[in-house]
Amino acid sequence: MTKQEIADILAKPYAQQLLNGPEPALLAYIGLDGDPRVIPIGFWTEDERILMATLPKSAKVAALRSNPNVALTIDQGAFPPKVLLIRGTAEVESVDGIPEGYLDAGHKVMTDDQYPEWVAGLRNLYDEMVVITITPAWVKLLDFETTIPKAVEDLIVSKQSGA
């Protein structure tokens, strides 16, 4: 996919709803043992990139340094489903302190009353973090109103043509 095609899909209203909502991303990557992993993780966005932060000694950091290929899914549990699928590569970078985007991502899932105590706890705990930046190479939005999985689309066409 071109950068413009990716940008166009990520700019769609349902994609923006998912990218800015409280749902975590499901990050899929290959562990150092060669087995796949999928973890829920909070995230924020910058332009067309998806970012998340974690501990420097996290297993996913070592795995992503070894194999940066990832897939992300962000979805809602409502009907009809809204699903944003992303494939791309991850870069990892150590940073001092806590990234502002990490704090913003956390705020999406808690009340304003809970937030100050959470931030204070983080500031006491983390001296550094690792920012994982996902650069999409492919994206797909399934909103089940204007877009559906290709196999379902093919089945509908097949049934309509009497095949």
Side-chain angles (χ1 to χ4, degrees):
M1 294 186 90
T2 68
K3 287 184 180 186
Q4 188 59 53
E5 289 171 323
I6 291 169
D8 290 346
I9 292 170
L10 294 178
K12 290 184 177 192
Y14 283 136
Q16 284 297 302
Q17 180 182 345
L18 291 166
L19 290 168
N20 294 298
E23 294 84 6
L26 296 173
L27 172 65
Y29 64 96
I30 301 298
L32 291 177
D33 62 1
D35 287 335
R37 308 276 193 284
V38 177
I39 60 162
I41 189 166
F43 67 94
W44 68 97
T45 61
E46 292 179 5
D47 300 317
E48 283 80 42
R49 299 173 304 145
I50 295 88
L51 297 88
M52 49 211 71
T54 190
L55 299 166
K57 293 186 179 184
S58 169
K60 66 184 151 292
V61 171
L64 292 171
R65 283 188 171 128
S66 175
N67 182 348
N69 296 316
V70 297
L72 289 173
T73 298
I74 307 164
D75 66 330
Q76 292 179 320
F79 186 84
K82 308 288 183 272
V83 183
L84 184 60
L85 304 169
I86 300 168
R87 295 181 205 147
T89 55
E91 294 178 33
V92 294
E93 175 188 7
S94 295
V95 297
D96 290 332
I98 303 163
E100 195 63 35
Y102 184 79
L103 298 175
D104 293 341
H107 202 181
K108 292 191 297 186
V109 298
M110 65 186 73
T111 66
D112 288 341
D113 292 339
Q114 296 168 319
Y115 185 71
E117 185 176 342
W118 178 73
V119 171
L122 289 176
R123 294 202 191 283
N124 287 329
L125 188 60
Y126 296 111
D127 294 323
E128 73 174 313
M129 295 188 86
V130 168
V131 173
I132 301 166
T133 303
I134 309 296
T135 301
W138 177 92
V139 297
K140 184 165 184 105
L141 176 65
L142 300 173
D143 62 23
F144 290 85
E145 293 173 17
T146 62
T147 58
I148 57 177
K150 178 79 168 97
V152 176
E153 184 179 331
D154 291 347
L155 178 61
I156 291 169
V157 169
S158 171
K159 292 289 185 176
Q160 288 174 343
S161 68

